[in-house]
Amino acid sequence: MNQSIWMALQQMQRGQVGAAQDTLCRFLGTDPDHADAHALLAQVLLSQRRLYAAEHEARLSLTLDPECGLGLYALAQISMAARRFDEAREHLERLIALEPDDAANFRLLAQLHRIQEDYPGAESALEQALAVNPTHLDTIALLGRVRLDRGDVGGARERALEALHLSADHADSLLLMGHVLLREGKVGEAREHAIETLRADPSDDEALQLLVAVKARQSWWLGVWWRWQGWITAGNSTRAMALLLGMYLVVQVGSQATTDLGKPGWSQIIDLLWLGVAAYTWFAPVLYQRMVAKEVRSVGLSPDF
């Protein structure tokens, strides 16, 4: 592997995105037709949310080398970010056909399934990744996150413990265990896992979001909403929609029944309570997102923690 490419990869793994971009741009100044360098630059630009520039670099890498695995990987990531899921799947199918022994390709396929809430598909892709490398920490942690998405807190805990047994400081596994502990109501322990991750990388967005989730869980105002959304979203969007529709129908039936029984005052109370719940679940997520944005901007721990 070229030394500049290796250096850029190391910088990307350490989160030094700007340094990686400088390294790649300098290298491409001397070798503008290096497909892998363009593909890595596409990933750097994607991490900076420069979607169009990233796609240009990814497609350029494939123009230079139609079988550039890094280029296909980057283009699949970009398609996912742009929510062009069918296109992302096509790129991944080509990539897996070219590199069937790379577990990272199956993990990205699992992430595509996860975005689409196809949790069985995600688990199947991760089982294929584990068949390639049974002890890869990223794969084990991602499988735990999928289990948590499905509401299987016990299964997620098992995967988190398995990964942490292999490496006690693996960031994704620490965060997975933090989310598991938060679901179990162990708020203090969840906070400790987030802080442990931030010691290694103070700009880790997911760790900051876990800290904000802890803060929301402890807040009397946001705590109720946090438990509510955790129950509603423990599954896929179809389940959540069915629950909300069912509750709405119950409220409407109750309101109409009290009116028919000659108690319009009770009907108004039911309507006002439902309106209050709707308003609360509308504004609470806004406050939560503001808390997340504030913590991400600070790139560090607030005094409250």
Side-chain angles (χ1 to χ4, degrees):
M1 180 182 294
N2 180 277
Q3 185 176 359
S4 295
I5 298 295
W6 180 86
M7 182 182 299
L9 282 169
Q10 295 298 311
Q11 291 167 331
M12 291 169 66
Q13 290 174 359
R14 292 194 296 266
Q16 299 171 325
V17 179
Q21 183 176 356
D22 291 341
T23 299
L24 290 167
C25 287
R26 284 197 303 270
F27 176 67
L28 286 169
T30 60
D31 188 356
D33 295 331
H34 198 289
D36 285 348
H38 284 286
L40 287 175
L41 183 57
Q43 292 188 25
V44 168
L45 293 168
L46 178 61
S47 70
Q48 297 172 337
R49 297 179 175 83
R50 297 172 59 186
L51 201 61
Y52 295 108
E55 184 166 359
H56 170 76
E57 290 294 331
R59 293 193 183 280
L60 181 55
S61 73
L62 291 171
T63 300
L64 295 168
D65 179 5
E67 296 187 350
C68 176
L70 287 173
L72 285 169
Y73 189 94
L75 201 52
Q77 287 181 305
I78 293 162
S79 298
M80 288 166 61
R83 305 193 69 79
R84 301 195 303 261
F85 298 135
D86 290 341
E87 186 178 320
R89 186 182 301 276
E90 292 176 6
H91 297 314
L92 283 168
E93 288 174 354
R94 284 183 58 196
L95 178 59
I96 290 172
L98 285 172
E99 300 177 355
D101 296 327
D102 191 338
N105 300 335
F106 292 104
R107 283 197 301 275
L108 188 58
L109 178 60
Q111 290 170 350
L112 174 61
H113 285 296
R114 187 183 177 208
I115 292 172
Q116 297 176 293
E117 297 184 344
D118 177 12
Y119 300 128
E123 289 196 18
S124 176
L126 290 169
E127 292 296 342
Q128 290 177 281
L130 287 172
V132 173
N133 187 343
T135 59
H136 199 289
L137 297 173
D138 291 345
T139 304
I140 297 170
L142 183 55
L143 183 55
R145 291 306 297 266
V146 173
R147 296 275 169 83
L148 194 61
D149 290 339
R150 299 185 69 173
D152 181 7
V153 179
R157 170 179 274 278
E158 289 178 7
R159 288 301 183 179
L161 290 174
E162 179 184 351
L164 290 171
H165 178 73
L166 295 171
S167 177
D169 59 354
H170 183 246
D172 288 348
S173 303
L174 284 169
L175 291 174
L176 170 61
M177 181 56 79
H179 284 289
V180 168
L181 291 166
L182 189 60
R183 288 280 188 95
E184 293 175 342
K186 300 174 182 177
V187 181
E189 294 179 47
R191 183 181 64 179
E192 290 173 7
H193 281 73
I195 291 175
E196 186 65 28
T197 306
L198 287 168
R199 287 196 181 104
D201 181 6
S203 64
D204 190 312
D205 284 353
E206 189 173 351
L208 290 169
Q209 289 186 27
L210 177 57
L211 275 178
V212 174
V214 168
K215 192 172 183 178
R217 179 73 164 72
Q218 293 174 320
S219 165
W220 68 269
W221 170 245
L222 288 176
V224 175
W225 169 77
W226 180 258
R227 294 175 180 84
W228 161 267
Q229 69 88 27
W231 177 68
I232 286 290
T233 60
N236 55 31
S237 58
T238 302
R239 174 184 177 276
M241 186 65 68
L243 286 172
L244 292 171
L245 181 59
M247 286 185 284
Y248 174 76
L249 290 175
V250 168
V251 168
Q252 293 302 308
V253 170
S255 178
Q256 186 61 48
T258 52
T259 300
D260 293 343
L261 291 171
K263 297 181 179 180
W266 283 100
S267 176
Q268 290 179 355
I269 291 173
I270 292 173
D271 290 340
L272 287 173
L273 285 173
W274 177 252
L275 180 62
V277 170
Y280 176 69
T281 55
W282 178 270
F283 288 109
V286 175
L287 295 176
Y288 175 76
Q289 290 300 326
R290 287 180 179 176
M291 291 169 64
V292 172
K294 181 180 178 181
E295 293 295 333
V296 170
R297 283 197 303 270
S298 69
V299 194
L301 302 180
S302 67
D304 295 336
F305 292 104

